């Protein structure tokens, strides 16, 4: 599996299929997430995925763009789901929400070792409060 395929599998297996064993395998034990979520291990990454699973039911992920060069992979991802659990302090609304996020990954020796992510928090919050 090349670096781009590995990152795409992270989204498909982690967010859509909830295959957390795969995440434990493809993310390094000493993984560092530079986004506000701030994971510091593959176990932390799994815990974040579980939180998102509780926030958004029927979550679908579409990889809109994926670019890779050397050890870096950049993505643009469309998230689409039902707000089913507290997110950003907002209790479940049952609303469908769709948003795009940008996430970049560093892959070394077949493992995701670092990531930088941007979720449009203000857009998400405004959608949920409408």
């Amino acid at each position: 599996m090349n670096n781009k395929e590995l990152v795409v599998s992270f989204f498909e297996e982690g967010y859509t299929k909830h295959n957390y064993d795969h995440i434990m395998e493809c993310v390094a034990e000493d993984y560092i997430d530079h986004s506000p979520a701030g994971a510091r291990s593959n176990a932390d990454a799994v815990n974040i995925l579980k939180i998102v699973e509780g926030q958004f039911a029927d979550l679908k992920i579409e990889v809109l763009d994926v670019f890779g060069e050397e050890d870096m992979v950049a993505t643009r991802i469309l998230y689409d789901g039902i707000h089913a659990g507290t997110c950003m302090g907002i209790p479940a609304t049952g609303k469908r929400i769709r948003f795009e996020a940008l996430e970049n990954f560093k892959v070394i020796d077949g493992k995701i070792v670092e990531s930088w992510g941007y979720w449009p928090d203000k857009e998400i919050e405004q959608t949920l409060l409408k």
Side-chain angles (χ1 to χ4, degrees):
M1 188 177 320
N2 67 37
N3 290 350
K4 290 191 296 187
E5 292 168 336
L6 178 72
V7 168
V8 169
S9 79
F10 171 85
F11 287 103
E12 292 173 349
E13 296 294 325
Y15 284 102
T16 304
K17 297 179 182 175
H18 313 295
N19 180 356
Y20 301 126
D21 290 338
H22 176 75
I23 302 306
M24 292 298 288
E25 288 297 314
C26 75
V27 175
E29 287 182 23
D30 58 351
Y31 164 72
I32 298 173
D33 175 3
H34 298 280
S35 76
R40 292 295 180 258
S41 69
N42 55 0
D44 285 353
V46 166
N47 287 335
I48 291 166
L49 290 168
K50 288 178 178 179
I51 289 168
V52 172
E53 179 184 0
Q55 294 172 329
F56 301 105
D58 194 32
L59 186 62
K60 305 282 187 287
I61 301 293
E62 183 180 348
V63 178
L64 301 173
D65 295 307
V66 59
F67 302 93
E69 189 168 322
E70 298 179 14
D71 61 0
M72 295 299 297
V73 177
T75 64
R76 183 170 62 102
I77 308 296
L78 176 65
Y79 293 80
D80 182 340
I82 305 295
H83 180 218
T86 301
C87 176
M88 303 164 109
I90 303 166
T93 62
K95 293 180 181 179
R96 175 162 298 282
I97 184 165
R98 291 171 52 97
F99 60 90
E100 291 182 16
L102 304 174
E103 301 196 35
N104 299 327
F105 298 84
K106 184 172 188 175
V107 179
I108 302 288
D109 296 329
K111 298 262 188 185
I112 297 170
V113 297
E114 287 183 88
S115 68
W116 298 260
Y118 167 75
W119 281 31
D121 292 345
K122 271 299 199 207
E123 177 186 329
I124 294 168
E125 182 180 48
Q126 288 171 350
T127 300
L128 297 179
L129 291 174
K130 285 183 186 176

